[in-house]
Amino acid sequence: MASGFFARFFGRKRLPEELRYEDARRVLESHQFEMKRELASREDAPREALYYLACDDDPRVRGLVAANKSAPVQADELLHSDNDGEVRGELARKLSRLMPDMPLHERSAVQERVAGLLEKLAADELPRVRAIIAEEVAGCPTISATLARRLARDAEIAVCGPILEYSPLLSDEDLIEIIATSQAKGATAAVARRACVNTGVSDAIVSSHDDGAIGELLANKGARIREETMERVITRASGIKSWHKPLVMRPELSMRAMRRIATFVSRSLIEELRRTHDLDKETADWLRAKVQSKIERGEEEHELAPREDIRDAYAAGRLGDEMVMEAATTSQRASVVLALSLLAGVPAQSIEEVFTAQSGRGIAALCWKGGLSMRTALAVQTYIAHVPQPNLVLPREGIAYPMTEDEMRWHLQYFGIEEATPD
């Protein structure tokens, strides 16, 4: 009789619509993989059956239990340390979505256990498990601040990015600290995209010298930027074209700031300045004259030419750290290339190759060859070549070159410029 029941029962492709306890028990006793998988996915499955299936040998069965909202917390506690990352990922997704939408102090004991499991999964060895949690809870105001801060400090941008951009639980102090310390590429840019960025956080973003993040900040209408901070951005902006349009569109520009911006942006963006800002007559007339001047000179959209005074200073023996440092910190790439070419006796094309390679050691060697200080070399790495933070060559004891002369000659030879002659 029993064998006849099983023949009829497993001859069907699906379990009965109204699942009885006896049906579930027979599936568990049958060891039929497909039926166990279907049972593991059923939200009306008995909790005892789901707990039993959480220990099944088949990872697909365990994954279905992990995703099942009806699984008891005891099953979830078994699965949070499952040896299959896909199973843990399914559990992370489910628990993130089950986080109760209520204040922490109103949670039941079971809900607290769920929250505890989520905290453990947020420390999972697999980035994709942590990323699932971050994506699901990024904007949730009822997770713990501890969990939000843990995810925000993660070394993987897929994990920290959503939290940094959307979490309401991070304070300005948290964000400023993360900007200063995070090694995740894109972390500062994620902060810059937040719906509201206060002035202290904006200051930290600008101080990070992360050009991409500063561009995001300028484009963010919800970012508040102090006038002094904006002046610092404008000082560097002439050689960074990606900043030009968002700078022009900033709503809080002073008349002085608009005049400074008009000295380096294109004609079309000067016209945009005139159209989008409430200008006094003097500034409006000045901008019109600036556009006319550019038209008469035939200026197009191209890289700024080197400053005319670089060659004069070199000829007079005055070209050195002060002038190169000033050109570097204001992002005047062409001027820095010309200065290094003259001082080091290296073709401009070779210098551009070192900059493009973002070689901190190569840049330091070039500056050494040109008789410049290590502090100037650091400025060139940071503001002109945009060398990634981990690859920056830093001064020894704050002032000295950290490499021997033989090492610097080796790096010059690596780029084929040790014996090069100037243009």
Side-chain angles (χ1 to χ4, degrees):
M1 183 173 180
S3 59
F5 170 84
F6 279 109
R8 294 192 304 275
F9 187 79
F10 292 111
R12 296 192 296 266
K13 292 185 178 180
R14 297 183 56 83
L15 291 169
E17 289 188 11
E18 294 186 10
L19 188 64
R20 298 176 302 167
Y21 184 86
E22 291 78 9
D23 297 330
R25 180 174 58 80
R26 291 182 178 118
V27 170
L28 297 178
E29 293 172 349
S30 73
H31 302 297
Q32 295 285 325
F33 289 135
E34 291 303 322
M35 299 303 291
K36 285 199 292 184
R37 289 170 193 162
E38 185 175 353
L39 179 62
S41 68
R42 292 279 294 256
E43 293 188 9
D44 60 344
R47 292 163 61 84
E48 296 88 342
L50 293 175
Y51 178 77
Y52 182 87
L53 291 173
C55 300
D56 196 86
D57 291 337
D58 185 351
R60 285 175 291 181
V61 170
R62 302 197 305 275
L64 289 166
V65 175
N68 194 327
K69 292 189 290 186
S70 296
V73 68
Q74 293 87 348
D76 295 338
E77 287 172 336
L78 286 175
L79 294 169
H80 95 274
S81 57
D82 195 277
N83 60 12
D84 190 297
E86 295 298 327
V87 173
R88 302 198 305 277
E90 289 295 334
L91 182 64
R93 183 175 288 106
K94 177 185 74 176
L95 296 185
S96 299
R97 293 174 177 176
L98 287 177
M99 284 301 292
D101 189 15
M102 64 177 62
L104 295 176
H105 65 274
E106 294 183 14
R107 289 181 180 166
S108 68
V110 170
Q111 289 166 338
E112 285 294 345
R113 289 168 72 179
V114 170
L117 286 175
L118 200 59
E119 296 267 1
K120 292 176 181 177
L121 286 166
D124 195 273
E125 64 180 356
L126 290 182
R128 70 173 179 270
V129 174
R130 307 194 303 274
I132 287 169
I133 297 173
E135 290 167 6
E136 295 292 342
V137 305
C140 179
T142 58
I143 64 170
S144 70
T146 300
L147 176 58
R149 285 193 288 267
R150 174 196 285 272
L151 293 169
R153 291 185 173 93
D154 199 279
E156 299 287 339
I157 189 61
V159 181
C160 67
I163 302 295
L164 291 173
E165 186 169 348
Y166 298 111
S167 178
L169 301 176
L170 301 176
S171 67
D172 284 356
E173 290 74 18
D174 292 329
L175 296 171
I176 291 169
E177 179 197 343
I178 289 166
I179 289 168
T181 60
S182 179
Q183 295 298 309
K185 185 175 177 58
T188 301
V191 175
R193 290 192 293 268
R194 289 175 70 86
C196 178
V197 182
N198 291 327
T199 54
V201 177
S202 292
D203 290 347
I205 292 169
V206 171
S207 296
S208 74
H209 302 303
D210 182 328
D211 291 352
I214 295 171
E216 296 278 6
L217 182 73
L218 293 173
N220 184 351
K221 294 182 179 178
R224 297 166 55 206
I225 306 175
R226 290 187 238 266
E227 185 174 348
E228 314 88 84
T229 306
M230 187 63 74
E231 289 288 336
R232 290 166 55 202
V233 172
I234 293 170
T235 297
R236 289 191 56 213
S238 63
I240 307 176
K241 285 191 174 182
S242 60
W243 291 3
H244 291 185
K245 185 169 184 179
L247 255 180
V248 164
M249 303 303 293
R250 288 303 303 179
E252 73 277 23
L253 294 175
S254 66
M255 297 297 171
R256 178 175 181 273
M258 284 187 274
R259 288 189 177 216
R260 289 186 66 192
I261 291 168
T263 64
F264 57 78
V265 299
S266 66
R267 300 194 305 264
S268 62
L269 288 179
I270 295 176
E271 291 288 3
E272 191 69 42
L273 267 175
R274 289 204 304 117
R275 286 194 298 269
T276 59
H277 294 276
D278 184 17
L279 307 176
D280 58 36
K281 184 178 184 305
E282 181 184 358
T283 301
D285 290 344
W286 187 88
L287 290 177
R288 288 191 190 94
K290 195 71 180 174
V291 170
Q292 186 60 36
S293 174
K294 284 179 178 277
I295 292 173
E296 291 172 358
R297 294 198 305 268
E299 291 189 15
E300 303 296 337
E301 307 285 331
H302 56 72
E303 292 292 330
L304 297 177
R307 283 166 33 182
E308 295 177 0
D309 59 345
I310 296 290
R311 289 188 185 277
D312 294 339
Y314 177 71
R318 293 184 287 101
L319 182 59
D321 282 299
E322 183 178 355
M323 187 171 285
V324 178
M325 175 74 80
E326 191 266 337
T329 55
T330 53
S331 299
Q332 298 179 49
R333 183 184 180 109
S335 295
V336 172
V337 170
L338 175 59
L340 280 174
S341 178
L342 293 170
L343 291 169
V346 172
Q349 182 179 352
S350 297
I351 294 172
E352 287 285 7
E353 289 174 2
V354 179
F355 287 177
T356 300
Q358 296 184 309
S359 169
R361 292 181 178 274
I363 292 166
L366 272 175
C367 291
W368 166 78
K369 184 173 175 63
L372 299 171
S373 72
M374 184 57 209
R375 288 182 176 176
T376 300
L378 180 59
V380 174
Q381 292 177 73
T382 303
Y383 299 107
I384 301 299
H386 309 296
V387 175
Q389 185 76 26
N391 298 334
L392 284 174
V393 177
L394 304 177
R396 188 179 74 248
E397 298 177 355
I399 55 171
Y401 278 91
M403 298 181 289
T404 66
E405 292 188 4
D406 285 343
E407 287 176 314
M408 286 190 277
R409 289 192 182 94
W410 185 92
H411 285 286
L412 291 171
Q413 290 167 358
Y414 177 83
F415 285 97
I417 59 178
E418 170 62 5
E419 302 300 327
T421 57
D423 291 334

